[in-house]
Amino acid sequence: MDKDASERRVVVGVDGSQSSYEALRWAVRYAGLVGGTVDAIAVWELPGLYGWSAPAVDMDVDEDETRQKMSRELTDVLGADTADSVRTRVVHGNPADVLLRAAEGAEVLVVGSRGRGGFARALLGSVSQHVSQHASCPVVIVRSEKQ
């Protein structure tokens, strides 16, 4: 991914959770204040792919369908005009690692406090906790009001 050093990029992780939608809204508002651009990153990973057993899910994940779903979600969350200004990427890999790589050289990395998995009572999700400890840029963790 080419990264212009003068560009003020705001990278945000989007996973379909309410918390990630709040993070997306925060990222768009912040980018507007600093004259930056928003890169929304959705990451998919197949459970069991890296273990000894065979994957428990279908390996034929339709990336085009995933991109279309992400586009619909962005439009629902931000409205059509604002959603069109957000650059999107759908990437296969470990969510924390993908977000850390995407955020290299960014103004800020924005994530929700908890994603789709995990324990409901946990203060932070595993991805938000990991990126907060390892990112090379500032990290903003946005909490959903419905938590």
Side-chain angles (χ1 to χ4, degrees), residues 53-109:
S53 64
V57 295
D58 185 0
M59 291 290 291
D60 295 325
V61 175
D62 188 341
E63 284 191 56
D64 288 335
E65 185 177 319
T66 303
R67 288 180 214 292
Q68 290 172 3
K69 181 179 179 199
M70 183 178 184
S71 178
R72 285 190 304 270
E73 287 179 350
L74 292 183
T75 300
D76 290 347
V77 172
L78 301 173
D81 291 340
T82 304
D84 286 343
S85 70
V86 174
R87 298 183 298 203
T88 61
R89 288 182 48 215
V90 176
V91 182
H92 173 260
N94 174 278
D97 292 340
V98 169
L99 289 173
L100 289 171
R101 279 193 309 275
E104 289 175 5
E107 174 90 6
V108 65
L109 170 60

Side-chain angles (χ1 to χ4, degrees), residues 24 47 53 83 94 110 125 133 146:
L24 178 62
S53 64
N94 174 278
V110 186
Q133 295 171 351
K146 294 182 181 178

Side-chain angles (χ1 to χ4, degrees), residues 13-71:
V14 179
D15 68 0
S17 67
Q18 187 63 38
S19 169
S20 77
Y21 294 157
E22 296 295 334
L24 178 62
R25 289 182 189 100
W26 192 97
V28 167
R29 284 191 306 268
Y30 180 79
L33 292 173
V34 300
T37 59
V38 176
D39 291 339
I41 313 293
V43 184
W44 59 275
E45 181 177 42
L46 298 175
L49 187 61
Y50 305 108
W52 286 97
S53 64
V57 295
D58 185 0
M59 291 290 291
D60 295 325
V61 175
D62 188 341
E63 284 191 56
D64 288 335
E65 185 177 319
T66 303
R67 288 180 214 292
Q68 290 172 3
K69 181 179 179 199
M70 183 178 184
S71 178

